[in-house]
Amino acid sequence: MREQHAAFPALRTSRLMLREIESSDAELLHAVWTDPLVVEHLVLDPFTEIRQTEAMISLLQELHTSGEGIRWAITLLTDGTPVGTCGFHNWKKEHGRAELGYELDSRMWRQGYMSEAVSAALEYAFDTMALNRIEALVTAGNERSRRFLEKTGFTLEGTLRQYELARGSHQDQWMFSLLREERAGRS
């Protein structure tokens, strides 16, 4: 029998609304998930068809329904336009940990939107999901994500050699983590 889950939580920041990803977001998220700058370091193959985006949206929606995580659409507070997603997957409740994932429309980079979104998501993760540890896997060489995570308080723990199969080859992944006690120390 499937567990009953609370309504999907919306998170509001000064410029953003993090809300449930909707099927109607497919066209705008497809533009994000096919942008060569955005997908350059992702472990999934770049999407070529809208049905791939629709399948990804279904997968991300299922995270909350199944209790395996949560993924928000990052939308602009001014007009509700989705500009990316962020959230958690691989939620291991018994261990108090989950993995952070995120992507943002490259036209929105370097404006603080991802910092704002992830900060709200981290607060939710530690306070509501009762996480003790949040992990982030980053394809080795993705310096933009590395700098972002370090600025957000994550620690690079090491390299997982040939950890992910992507685009026909095994890729090294950097393992980052943020512990509850470290986040509390930043407040």
Side-chain angles (χ1 to χ4, degrees):
M1 189 155 124
R2 184 172 273 186
E3 285 181 45
Q4 289 285 18
H5 291 279
F8 194 97
L11 308 177
R12 185 181 174 139
T13 71
S14 63
R15 300 180 297 164
L16 303 171
M17 177 65 72
L18 278 62
R19 61 150 172 85
E20 187 169 13
I21 301 170
E22 301 168 354
S23 298
S24 60
D25 297 329
E27 186 178 328
L28 292 171
L29 290 178
H30 187 70
V32 173
W33 289 328
T34 57
D35 180 339
L37 293 172
V38 174
V39 301
E40 177 183 9
H41 295 288
L42 296 182
V43 294
L44 53 90
D45 289 329
F47 293 165
T48 57
E49 299 177 15
I50 192 75
R51 67 180 174 79
Q52 293 169 296
T53 296
E54 292 164 348
M56 178 61 81
I57 287 172
S58 293
L59 179 84
L60 296 177
Q61 289 171 328
E62 182 64 21
L63 289 173
H64 184 253
T65 305
S66 67
E68 296 174 12
I70 187 167
R71 190 75 167 224
W72 290 274
I74 302 169
T75 65
L76 300 177
L77 202 53
T78 53
D79 63 6
T81 300
V83 294
T85 76
C86 74
F88 305 98
H89 55 281
N90 292 332
W91 184 9
K92 303 298 182 197
K93 294 177 187 146
E94 68 276 18
H95 299 293
R97 73 172 187 256
E99 185 179 330
L100 173 68
Y102 51 85
E103 68 281 321
L104 185 69
D105 184 322
S106 62
R107 296 171 297 180
M108 309 305 282
W109 290 0
R110 303 188 60 80
Q111 298 177 52
Y113 288 115
M114 190 55 77
S115 293
E116 198 171 314
V118 167
S119 181
L122 291 173
E123 183 177 328
Y124 181 86
F126 287 124
D127 294 348
T128 304
M129 296 171 71
L131 296 181
N132 181 62
R133 174 187 168 92
I134 297 173
E135 300 171 341
L137 291 171
V138 174
T139 301
N142 185 347
E143 292 297 332
R144 180 176 277 115
S145 256
R146 179 185 184 146
R147 286 189 304 272
F148 169 72
L149 289 170
E150 288 173 341
K151 182 179 120 194
T152 306
F154 281 75
T155 298
L156 175 60
E157 294 183 332
T159 301
L160 302 173
R161 299 178 310 143
Q162 297 186 12
Y163 191 74
E164 296 279 358
L165 179 62
R167 300 182 187 137
S169 66
H170 287 91
Q171 298 183 2
D172 294 349
Q173 295 288 303
W174 289 329
M175 172 61 82
F176 287 86
S177 69
L178 178 65
L179 303 179
R180 171 188 295 279
E181 63 196 35
E182 295 166 339
R183 182 70 175 176
R186 291 174 56 98
S187 301

